[in-house]
Amino acid sequence: MRFSAFLVGRSTAPEQDRFVMDALVEHACAAERLGFDAVFMPDHHFTGYAPMSSDPFMFAAYLAAQLKRVHFGMSVTTVPLHHPVRFAERVNLLDQLTDGRLLVGVGSGTTPEEMIGFGVNYKHASALLQENLDLVQRLWDKELEDAPISFETAHYKGAVVQRIVPTAYQKKFNRIMPVALRETSMQRAADSGWPAFIPAFTPPVAASADPFTELTKYFHRYRDALHEAGHAPEVVAHCLSWTTHTYQCVHLAPSAEQAQEELMQILKAYKQAIDREYHYNKRAEVLSGVSLHPHPDCFSPEWIKTWCLHGTPEQVAEELHKHKQLGIGNVLMGFTNGPLTEQRIGFANQSLDLFSREVMPQFR
């Protein structure tokens, strides 16, 4: 079973940007040193969600010069915001720079604010994702002697005459990771022999329901489709070993009481940050003509069960054994979620230490 660190941490003012980026570099180095398998980066814009996430490919290239063992993941790249030819080139280049230690999560995006900043209509994002990925796959498959690939999408028009340079390090490149929420995205991952993110982004409709039941449903749907696609055993094994469930907020402490108390401090700061962004979200929704659901109640038991993994090392290990039994290959863990302060970094370091010493060895 694999464990990955999610490089998230909010900057709430311009003067904090560099501090947060430096802290996340140190967090990535600690993750490699302590035995984590990968570090994942988000792709977000304008909000301060993670300052370096305005270009996670560039940030991953910077980290690749320092980290020589872990994989580098994108969670997830908002494909409609990227020119498809440039996306194909950058993925191949980063695949080379990391010696094939690359996993590229792909999705259609989450907020109108990010879309309108790039001139993309949020309502068209899902279709644009499929359109761009189809073109990217054709570009990766093109050989030098093949006829030029001409394309005309809703946003771009052009032709590639020769090939995408550089070529990918991995042959065949099978590290694209869709979010297996929509039926089409799940089926595309299974048919292509790609790992997937198993969604657990919102609490179940029924307050009494167990989020793990939802996780199980989506995982079984993807796993069954993967087997039915007829791939070689090594392809199926690769996909399942990197198929990922994400906990946005992970916190460990020596006692359950301490873990609960500190988690409430973390969530209080997180709520203050998203409340501050709320009127910007609404302004973007008016400009884009899209109205989304409100932010979740950070302190509701349903939200905490879905997004958070917290407690003593024993409690956290008990929850992760359920993932292992289900067949989840990789758990992506956000130890730095929320505004990054010295206190928050101290909480993260405490969790990293306890997890690497007392939890991780049980799954190796």
Side-chain angles (χ1 to χ4, degrees):
M1 192 171 182
R2 304 181 193 268
F3 298 105
S4 302
F6 199 8
L7 302 184
V8 293
R10 288 179 182 266
S11 168
T12 57
E15 59 271 17
Q16 296 176 6
D17 290 351
R18 181 57 185 266
F19 170 79
V20 173
M21 289 191 292
D22 287 345
L24 292 176
V25 170
E26 293 180 9
H27 188 65
C29 293
E32 177 169 84
R33 184 174 65 253
L34 293 172
F36 283 78
D37 297 278
V39 292
F40 277 72
M41 286 140 279
D43 180 14
H44 281 295
H45 308 270
F46 314 124
T47 65
Y49 177 82
M52 78 294 172
S53 66
S54 62
D55 194 336
F57 287 90
M58 183 178 290
F59 190 63
Y62 174 79
L63 291 178
Q66 306 174 60
L67 307 180
K68 300 302 182 183
R69 183 186 57 78
V70 295
H71 281 67
F72 299 87
M74 306 295 157
S75 179
V76 296
T77 307
T78 305
V79 175
L81 305 186
H82 294 257
H83 191 294
V85 178
R86 176 68 76 184
F87 178 79
E89 290 179 331
R90 299 184 92 196
V91 168
N92 279 12
L93 178 57
L94 190 55
D95 193 42
Q96 289 282 357
L97 293 176
T98 60
D99 294 335
R101 292 174 290 132
L102 181 62
L103 301 150
V104 184
V106 294
S108 59
T110 57
T111 68
E113 182 178 1
E114 295 182 332
M115 294 292 173
I116 62 173
F118 287 85
V120 175
N121 189 323
Y122 185 87
K123 298 176 182 178
H124 301 159
S126 180
L128 190 56
L129 165 68
Q130 300 301 325
E131 191 174 51
N132 283 358
L133 283 181
D134 287 341
L135 175 56
V136 166
Q137 191 63 61
R138 289 173 60 205
L139 293 171
W140 279 336
D141 291 340
K142 185 184 185 307
E143 297 183 358
L144 186 62
E145 63 274 13
D146 292 340
I149 292 180
S150 298
F151 58 90
E152 183 171 0
T153 72
H155 285 78
Y156 307 109
K157 181 179 180 179
V160 173
V161 177
Q162 295 195 49
R163 63 180 178 91
I164 295 299
V165 179
T167 186
Y169 182 92
Q170 304 169 72
K171 304 287 192 281
K172 141 185 177 199
F173 185 81
N174 60 350
R175 302 299 174 90
I176 296 295
M177 293 178 64
V179 178
L181 179 60
R182 295 185 179 91
E183 181 76 23
T184 53
S185 297
M186 180 280 297
Q187 196 64 52
R188 185 184 195 115
D191 291 343
S192 301
W194 295 342
F197 288 94
I198 305 301
F201 304 131
T202 57
V205 175
S208 60
D210 182 0
F212 198 79
T213 302
E214 292 292 295
L215 176 68
T216 300
K217 177 183 74 175
Y218 283 113
F219 175 75
H220 283 170
R221 186 181 70 166
Y222 164 73
R223 182 201 62 190
D224 293 346
L226 182 67
H227 283 293
E228 291 168 4
H231 299 294
E234 59 270 21
V235 173
V236 174
H238 160 74
C239 290
L240 294 179
S241 75
W242 279 112
T243 289
T244 298
H245 176 222
T246 303
Y247 281 108
Q248 296 279 344
C249 184
V250 178
H251 184 66
L252 285 77
S255 71
E257 294 75 17
Q258 181 180 340
Q260 181 69 19
E261 179 184 342
E262 292 172 350
L263 178 70
M264 290 300 104
Q265 295 180 51
I266 292 168
L267 294 184
K268 180 180 179 180
Y270 175 80
K271 186 177 189 307
Q272 290 172 345
I274 63 173
D275 285 348
R276 171 188 167 275
E277 295 172 6
Y278 183 72
H279 78 280
Y280 296 105
N281 300 151
K282 301 309 293 184
R283 186 184 302 176
E285 289 179 14
V286 170
L287 288 171
S288 63
V290 174
S291 181
L292 299 182
H293 55 75
H295 284 299
D297 177 4
C298 300
F299 300 102
S300 72
E302 294 78 28
W303 191 89
I304 290 174
K305 285 193 299 182
T306 302
W307 278 31
C308 303
L309 176 63
H310 72 290
T312 65
E314 293 79 11
Q315 290 172 319
V316 168
E318 181 180 1
E319 186 66 24
L320 291 175
H321 276 295
K322 291 164 57 179
H323 289 69
K324 182 177 181 179
Q325 185 176 17
L326 176 61
I328 296 292
N330 178 48
V331 179
L332 178 56
M333 317 178 84
F335 293 98
T336 53
N337 188 282
L340 271 191
T341 62
E342 293 290 355
Q343 181 192 47
R344 182 68 184 93
I345 293 171
F347 286 157
N349 290 338
Q350 169 186 292
S351 293
L352 278 177
D353 176 65
L354 287 171
F355 188 85
S356 63
R357 286 192 297 107
E358 300 188 29
V359 180
M360 194 182 295
Q362 299 183 43
F363 298 87
R364 296 309 198 193

